[in-house]
Amino acid sequence: MTARDPVSACAPGRVELLGNHTDYNEGVVLGAAINRFTRVSGKRHPRVIRIGSTSFGQVQINRTALRPVSETRWANYVLGVADELRELKVPVGGFSAEITGDLPIGAGLSSSAALEVATALFLLKLFPFDLSRLEIAKACQRAEHRYLGVKSGLLDQVISLFSRAQQAVLFDSRTEEIRAVSVPCSLALIISESGVRRELANGEYNVRQSETQAAARAFGVRALRDLKSAQIDRRADIPALLRHRARHVVEENERVRRAVELLEAGDAREFGKLMNASHESSRRNFENSTPELDLLVSMAQRLPGVLGSRLTGAGFGGATVTLCERSVAEKAAKQLAADYTTQTGIKAPVFVCEIADGAR
Ligand code: GLA
């Protein structure tokens, strides 16, 4: 390859199967990459950084003037990653890049992380440098913190980088252990977008982060990871809101651990029940669901062959994930889309996805 050759990299979106808002509380999470991708392609440029996207247009800055841009926030994912790689001594110079792909944007399927990860792999090919996948994930996360002001955990980047076809990824955000857990071939995942856009930076996500940190302080633990659900009941003196937030995170951690045992034992039915319980806890304790997500979940739970359903990712809009017997998944997805449109008038995509390999 010469310096002028075009290169390209592609990264998948993800679903969070269980472990809602646990990652920034040093907890555990179970997720999987989906077969919808963001691709970044392009080549070196002597003077500028030029980024084009069919959905958003074009941005160009001088290659020596890396900084967040306020008018075209979407470009900050790319610029932030370029900046973070430079901090790690990657010799990122000028380049022109085109963003394409079939991963829905802003639907709660982690289009942000997919763009960051695809950008990182693209730049590391263009300006060759050796970084481990975990270092790449963390650089992408820092880019999101610094350039977008969203204090997201590491879940999305880890799943996008480490996933394997037909396997879920267990990520322990304290020990940084990453483990593959097989998902039986007889099961399928249905993704349903609620059609309500989610803008993490709009605040609710960061608010939940402060609340869970306040809860950890109130319970006297380093992080909610260190709390057990039985301890919550004994502390009626702590404000109800903090107890509810803590309960969600603590029980999500417990559900993830149980879910791994269940998946390893091939017990999909019980696994599905944990997904239902997770959604219920989002609704009541964490208050990160919406009427549209609740509707999708309750409609899905009534369909034949469905084992469990919940919101996936940050919440406050976005999408749901439903575990279904593969033999009836297409039928269930069609039914769910039709029922949702009838009830709300919203035409939002519902599709059966495969668990895909990570970014490459
Ligand atoms: C978003 C964040 C993740 C994680 C989830 C909630 O997807 O980017 O880091 O916190 O929300 O579990």
Side-chain angles (χ1 to χ4, degrees):
M1 190 184 89
T2 74
R4 284 158 182 267
D5 286 339
V7 301
S8 126
C10 125
R14 65 94 190 89
V15 277
E16 169 202 276
L17 294 169
L18 276 174
N20 191 239
H21 290 258
T22 53
D23 61 349
Y24 57 81
N25 288 297
E26 300 190 24
V28 285
V29 53
L30 194 66
I34 59 172
N35 57 337
R36 299 284 165 121
F37 301 88
T38 295
R39 178 176 295 279
V40 176
S41 326
K43 52 189 180 183
R44 290 190 187 192
H45 191 286
R47 288 175 305 281
V48 299
I49 293 178
R50 183 184 297 146
I51 314 160
S53 143
T54 31
S55 323
F56 295 113
Q58 240 194 32
V59 169
Q60 179 171 314
I61 61 168
N62 190 294
R63 76 183 169 90
T64 56
L66 260 185
R67 58 175 168 79
V69 288
S70 52
E71 331 70 70
T72 45
R73 275 174 57 82
W74 62 271
N76 285 335
Y77 294 101
V78 176
L79 300 175
V81 170
D83 202 359
E84 285 299 332
L85 292 184
R86 275 188 189 169
E87 292 282 321
L88 294 171
K89 310 280 180 252
V90 181
V92 176
F95 61 90
S96 66
E98 191 64 27
I99 303 163
T100 53
D102 61 358
L103 178 61
I105 294 163
L109 301 173
S110 213
S111 53
S112 315
L115 177 54
E116 291 153 17
V117 167
T119 299
L121 294 189
F122 162 76
L123 291 174
L124 289 166
K125 264 193 211 171
L126 208 53
F127 305 101
F129 196 88
D130 206 22
L131 283 183
S132 74
R133 291 212 153 207
L134 196 55
E135 284 175 295
I136 297 171
K138 288 179 180 174
C140 292
Q141 182 195 29
R142 286 195 298 275
E144 193 155 331
H145 289 193
R146 260 202 323 131
Y147 270 61
L148 280 306
V150 182
K151 298 186 220 145
S152 56
L154 202 53
L155 157 74
D156 304 342
Q157 293 84 358
V158 163
I159 303 288
S160 186
L161 279 155
F162 287 90
S163 189
R164 295 272 194 78
Q166 209 47 50
Q167 297 190 326
V169 177
L170 171 68
F171 174 51
D172 183 326
S173 56
R174 174 173 286 172
T175 64
E176 297 185 341
E177 181 200 353
I178 295 167
R179 179 148 73 89
V181 185
S182 288
V183 176
C185 295
S186 56
L187 301 175
L189 297 174
I190 301 171
I191 309 253
S192 38
E193 294 179 38
S194 66
V196 179
R197 282 203 158 219
R198 187 182 56 88
E199 182 51 87
L200 282 183
N202 272 354
E204 286 294 341
Y205 185 88
N206 290 351
V207 169
R208 289 301 179 280
Q209 206 160 67
S210 325
E211 289 169 348
T212 50
Q213 278 160 6
R217 280 196 300 278
F219 281 99
V221 290
R222 166 175 146 180
L224 290 180
R225 153 73 168 260
D226 302 305
L227 199 63
K228 300 262 178 306
S229 45
Q231 291 171 270
I232 302 176
D233 303 328
R234 294 201 286 268
R235 294 295 305 272
D237 56 310
I238 292 174
L241 182 123
L242 297 188
R243 277 186 283 128
H244 287 140
R245 302 298 190 247
R247 182 173 301 287
H248 179 68
V249 173
V250 168
E251 293 183 354
E252 279 294 280
N253 281 326
E254 293 168 355
R255 279 188 278 272
V256 168
R257 297 200 186 287
R258 178 85 189 107
V260 171
E261 293 168 3
L262 290 169
L263 272 182
E264 284 170 344
D267 191 343
R269 204 155 288 280
E270 286 303 312
F271 181 85
K273 287 186 191 159
L274 294 178
M275 292 175 73
N276 293 339
S278 167
H279 186 79
E280 189 55 16
S281 174
S282 271
R283 212 169 65 76
R284 285 171 179 272
N285 295 321
F286 215 65
E287 296 176 275
N288 61 332
S289 188
T290 62
E292 293 82 8
L293 292 170
D294 291 343
L295 183 65
L296 277 168
V297 163
S298 62
M299 283 173 160
Q301 284 166 344
R302 286 197 291 269
L303 293 172
V306 166
L307 303 165
S309 185
R310 64 185 287 274
L311 67 79
T312 185
F316 314 109
T320 67
V321 57
T322 298
L323 185 70
C324 185
E325 283 159 17
R326 183 176 291 277
S327 53
V328 293
E330 287 294 347
K331 193 168 168 215
K334 273 203 190 83
Q335 189 65 50
L336 183 56
D339 291 351
Y340 186 61
T341 306
T342 308
Q343 190 119 347
T344 61
I346 302 174
K347 275 205 171 120
V350 178
F351 56 91
V352 178
C353 75
E354 298 300 328
I355 301 183
D357 278 324
R360 56 190 184 271

